[in-house]
Amino acid sequence: MRLGPDLRGLVGLLLPYAVGLVALIVLPAIVTFGLALFEWDLLRPARFVGPANFQELLGDEVFRISLRNSLTFIAVAVPLRLLGALILALLLHPRFRGAGAYRTAVYLPTFVPDVAYALLWLWILNPLYGPLNLILGAAGLPTPSWLTDPDAARWGIVLMSTFTIGEGFLVALAVRAGLPSQLYELAELEGARPLHVLRRVTLPLMAPTLLLLLFRDTVYSFQVNFVPALLVTDGGPPPYATTYLPLFVYREGFEYLRYGYAAAATVMMFVVTGLIVYLQWRVIHRWRRQFAI
Amino acid sequence: MAELRFEGVHKRYGDVAALRGFDVAAGDGELLVLVGPSGSGKTTALRVAAGLDEVSEGTVRIGGRDVTDVAPARRNVSMVFQGFALFPHLKVADNIGFGLRARGVGRAEAARRVAEAAGVVGCAALLQRSPTELSGGERQRVALARALVREPDAFLLDEPLSNLDPHLRSQMRVEIRRLHDRLGATMVYVTHDQVEALTIGDRVAVVNEGIVQQVAPPDDIYRRPANRFVATFVGSPAMNVLPADFRDGSLAAGPFRVPIRPPAAAAGAARLEIGFRPEDLYLAASGEEVPARVALVEVAGSDAFIHLDVDGVRLVARAGRDVRPMVGETLGVGLQPGRVHVFDADSGQTIE
């Protein structure tokens, strides 16, 4: 096959990415699917066990707790993250003095490296000298033991995740900026109050994007709590208050050397994610038809 | 309906003055056209009237009421935007009724008035459609229906036809004019198209550099331009302008002699210019008048525009359907004496 110069350039640009994608994601994914049917601990040769790993997972209480923790986390954190990104984007959309600095401040926590971010929160959440409890205490509010009380620890992880909303914020900001200003001028002339404009103009026009963000964030949130759960709460307080699916997989694989079992858990996680992606496709498809976008 | 009046309005954006003492009024029930080149300030004037932009200085009055500091929603004007500004997610009926619902008019009452307004502009059949399904002309009707459903004191139309194809444009132009006559509405209509301005307006205000150059009925704008800018901006092709001076009791401009006596006002002017429209430059077959070489012939349907080289000066003449000279041919040209405009070359003002 002969390629034109444009196509050759395109292939040249895509090739490194494609190689990385195949080597780091596609191949390990295929291996994971196969591995889920084996028992393997790195020491002895792998042994084919068929669906035994999956059968064990269904009866594993820790897996059930991890799955429930993950789904609860998503149900609480995703709406909060999305709402935060949307509200901040709408507040920081108008041009005013210092808007750029505020926008940067919103985005900044998102690109702090995960480990540094986790260590920072280990300090913030410290019940004795952490600034969060100092502030809560000074305001006369209850000061939970963030790292030892199960509910408080779960909320702590949610709280951590609500500050890394930079990507959703940027997308919402860009979409809002792309809405025609004439529509807003018209609404102003027609006497529409701000809440009416928000409800009847801004939200409906942003809805397709917001839905996309919602589902994207749902998938993302399955994985996002791995580092905090490992470094800040260590999966606890005991026994498994903040053991989410990624941490469960990590423990089974790298601590208990049950690679086949961990792979099976990963496949289950993939299936749940796939269900959500399917839901995403269905809902967005309907939105698109409704608005002919 | 009510009169809409600009009184000495200035509008500055930083160092840039968009309006510099803008003075004009659209009378009660009048269709006033603001026409000018892009950047002349005509759209700024409309936005100031709507309250979307604040004035830097001066007063805006609607029906005698000073609305300079009144919020847009309380001015009771409606606007038709260049791109129509329809909400893509709302049905046509909800687009038209948007302002009514926003102001708390009940659902049934709003539906009744929406149907009535849609009937007036002829889009009653579209009410349940989505704007994305409509053609340009249909969107235009919906935007007009939305503008009139609230029964505003004045309509502001910002280049309402510029997004339509030429055929539809002339059709909608007639419809807007008829709508105006039927409603007796006060309308301020902004366009950069001088043909549109002359055909649609009761009166035309020619705007340049943030100042109204002349306000007059279309015929007067064309026949008695107040200055060189109005004379050359209105009319297509543009008026021919030549430097001129008085010599031996007549006005000499290049090869032409215009038998008019120096008016008193011309005495003060150091330099003069004459202007004449392409149709006022007549062509003769032989070179008995002023000889002119044909440089280019533009055929525009019934007319043709003949570009001529007269002693090194480029002039344009309009010829009827029977005259189609060859490029390179030499013709004789002459001026219709009564149709010559005289300008002060320095101020650009017309000298009567």
Side-chain angles (χ1 to χ4, degrees), chain B residues 245-315:
Chain B
D245 54 52
F246 278 106
R247 229 178 285 155
D248 310 329
S250 69
L251 192 56
F256 298 103
R257 291 283 174 280
V258 185
I260 47 177
R261 287 186 300 142
R271 298 186 301 128
L272 295 173
E273 285 172 337
I274 62 163
F276 44 93
R277 297 205 178 275
E279 60 267 34
D280 298 328
L281 188 66
Y282 65 84
L283 304 174
S286 68
E288 66 190 28
E289 308 282 338
V290 174
R293 203 180 66 81
V294 177
L296 179 71
V297 178
E298 284 181 301
V299 178
S302 58
D303 286 344
F305 304 115
I306 319 293
H307 294 245
L308 300 161
D309 185 349
V310 185
D311 274 4
V313 181
R314 273 296 178 92
L315 299 175

Side-chain angles (χ1 to χ4, degrees), chain A residues 166-183:
Chain A
E167 286 153 21
F169 167 73
L170 278 192
V171 172
L173 197 64
V175 170
R176 174 61 188 86
L179 298 182
S181 57
Q182 274 192 354
L183 295 182

